[in-house]
Amino acid sequence: MPNITGIAAVALSDDNAASLGTIPTGTTQAVLGCEANAIRVGDSGSVPTATSGYLMNPGDVLTLVGNDYGDFLRNLQIINNTSGSNGQLRGFYMTGYDRA
C-alpha cells in the first residue's frame, strides 16, 4: 500500500529552470500535475527549454509509479513553456507502491 511522503509544489516566477526542491526521505514515486500555464519538464540529464522537454499543459498529469524514481525526481528540471507565463506544478510524493 502506498504512503504519501509529501506534497510537491513549484510555482515558476521567472524563466529559469527550477527543480522540485527537497524531496522527502524515502520517496520513490510521484504524481505531478500542471495546474496553471504550460510548462516543460526535462529528464534527469537535461535542462528543458521552451522548445525541448516534455510539454505539460494545465490539467496534464505525469505519473511516476511502479519503479524507484527517487533519483529522477531529485534531478527533474521544470521551465515555463512561454516566457513570463509563471507555470505551476503540483502533486504528491509517495513510497511503497508496488508494480502490478
Side-chain angles (χ1 to χ4, degrees):
M1 170 158 240
N3 296 305
I4 293 176
T5 59
I7 301 298
V10 177
L12 300 169
S13 59
D14 58 34
D15 294 325
N16 296 315
S19 70
L20 292 173
T22 302
I23 307 295
T25 302
T27 295
T28 56
Q29 292 105 19
V31 175
L32 306 170
C34 180
E35 285 196 345
N37 301 314
I39 58 174
R40 294 256 179 190
V41 177
D43 65 20
S44 61
S46 67
V47 176
T49 68
T51 58
S52 70
Y54 177 72
L55 175 64
M56 292 183 73
N57 290 300
D60 289 348
V61 175
L62 179 60
T63 305
L64 301 167
V65 298
N67 288 300
D68 184 346
Y69 290 100
D71 288 338
F72 180 86
L73 291 166
R74 282 184 278 284
N75 293 304
L76 197 74
Q77 296 287 307
I78 306 143
I79 197 167
N80 286 322
N81 184 58
T82 304
S83 180
S85 64
N86 297 336
Q88 293 181 5
L89 182 76
R90 303 259 191 263
F92 58 92
Y93 304 115
M94 60 188 169
T95 190
Y97 190 86
D98 294 328
R99 287 191 278 191

